[in-house]
Amino acid sequence: MSVKTETQNYLNYINGKWSESESSEQLKSTSPANPSDILGHVQASTKQDLNKAVEAAKEGQKKWKKLSGAERGNLLFKVADILERNIEDIAETMTREMGKTLPEAKGETARGVAILRYYAGEGMRKEGDVIPSTDSSALMFSKRVPLGVVGVITPWNFPVAIPLWKMAPALIYGNAVILKPATEAAVTAAKVIECFDQAGMPEGVVNFVTGKGSVIGQGLAEHKDVTAVTFTGSNATGNHIGQTVAARGGKYQLEMGGKNPIIVADDCDVDLAVDAAISGGLKSTGQKCTCSSRVIVQEGIYDKFKQKLLEKVSEINVGDGLEEQSWMGPCATKEQYETVQKYIEIGQKEGAELVYGGSPVPSDSNGYYIEPTIFDQVTSSMTIAQEEIFGPVLALMKVETVEEAIDLANDVDFGLSASIFSKNIDHILSFIDDIEAGLVRINSETAGVELQAPFGGMKASSSYSREQGEAAKEFFTTMKTVFLKG
Ligand code: NAP
Ligand code: MG
């Protein structure tokens, strides 16, 4: 069997085989640009399906960990090549399934290829240290070893890059994985798994089980044989997963929401700051965890900045991400579309001034389009200054000093990414020191992640662990200390 049946029924991948769920039920995947466009159906799997995947993963991992890092790496290089050959198809599927524009979807898929290659190379790098023993005739060293079976639970906003930046390090360090993708982007994820299948991954090393979060996600969190769970998604779900895994003594990693600020200082290059607010705030329809949502502007430049921002935002084309002229696609889901509208209503009720957008964009297709939206006169106690909206909504806030701006920037539960636009080295240095964020960006938008560097947030944005780059080794391995004497 292949990834799907002739009726576009996408299958689970367990123990190296594509299979239907024993439930014989499916979940529908539709396009947010045109909800009557059905991409296909994915399996509504059960706990029994998941148990089979865990059994397969346990068996598969025993052999997988015996391969050398170089051998595992060679397989990941193969997966990368296959993914690269399929960029057009996978990116188009992503755009249809969750709405981001085609250039963004292609960029994300290309990033997936680079992630696979980066971690493939990791198979040839060091896995421990020699530590001098107090016994001069002994050799003492540390050695990184795999955890076993890793559960991977991912959101819909980066359906290729996030599964891969979790799976690739998990695999290279010798773990087996079970991916439970977001249902809203599960067809795209199935096509990524197909690349692993075509590369000839050994049985049971990569498993793919679709279904409801409350069944399969919850099942992974609870299963005693799933040593670790890595999660990206909302805070409510993440915290619940963390508690569930911790209660059984498992390892977990959570990457969650953001309420990311841009500080615009009087002395900055205003055009650069405007471009960053637009790109960081509105690309991907504001659905990146690193999106800017609060724009904190010093009073001396406020009017100029606002005027330029309003000019620039009026040039944005909203439309189907498959069409070349579209700069911003729809919200990814009906639920998200309604949530964004609810926040726009709350913003107005609480006294923020709506200065641009704020309404759905009518379309022939009933797509979930919303105008780019800008609020002025936002204060920190307002809901739209505190809660993650995950939509194309910017909140403008005015301050007198950069010091005040940093305090305001920190006045939220989240701490994922933050940026400042300034040419003043003192402002920049105090921002680096005092901002409560895992990603600190100067004269650059809040979004933008490099796969070779650690990624993660502070405060409520993460469980304080880091993903990507070398940092991934911390989570996906544990350590043996070996004391060897002849
Ligand atoms: P979500 O609703 O939390 O879903 C994330 C994943 O968890 C999905 O696979 C979901 O499955 C699953 N899930 C749902 N309920 C579950 C439960 N009770 N137990 C176990 N798993 C469960 O998040 P989302 O709406 O997909 O994504 C948006 C959120 O992700 C935003 O808050 C955003 O900030 C965050 N995000 C964070 C980062 C980061 O790195 N910090 C990156 C991207 C996105 P179903 O799809 O089947 O419900
Ligand atoms: Mg969809």
Side-chain angles (χ1 to χ4, degrees), residues 154 156-157 180 183 213 217 232-234 237 256-257 289 388 390 455:
T154 52
W156 43 257
N157 65 340
K180 186 286 187 243
T183 302
T232 297
S234 65
T237 308
M256 300 174 285
C289 52
E388 183 180 52
F390 230 50
F455 172 74

Side-chain angles (χ1 to χ4, degrees), residues 29-32 39 96-98 184-185 332-333:
S29 170
T30 58
S31 174
L39 281 93
R96 263 180 77 201
E97 192 172 34
M98 58 67 68
E184 302 285 357
T333 66

Side-chain angles (χ1 to χ4, degrees), residues 47-66:
K47 289 258 165 87
Q48 278 88 320
D49 297 317
L50 180 61
N51 288 341
K52 276 190 206 154
V54 176
E55 277 314 306
K58 271 169 67 181
E59 283 308 306
Q61 198 259 340
K62 285 183 194 159
K63 293 187 198 142
W64 180 242
K65 74 170 188 185
K66 299 271 187 216

Side-chain angles (χ1 to χ4, degrees), residues 229-266:
V229 175
T230 171
F231 168 86
T232 297
S234 65
N235 282 66
T237 308
N239 290 330
H240 171 72
I241 289 175
Q243 284 165 19
T244 309
V245 180
R248 62 172 177 84
K251 189 173 186 182
Y252 65 89
Q253 173 185 57
L254 313 171
E255 287 304 333
M256 300 174 285
K259 191 69 195 167
N260 312 302
I262 300 194
I263 295 175
V264 181
D266 280 348

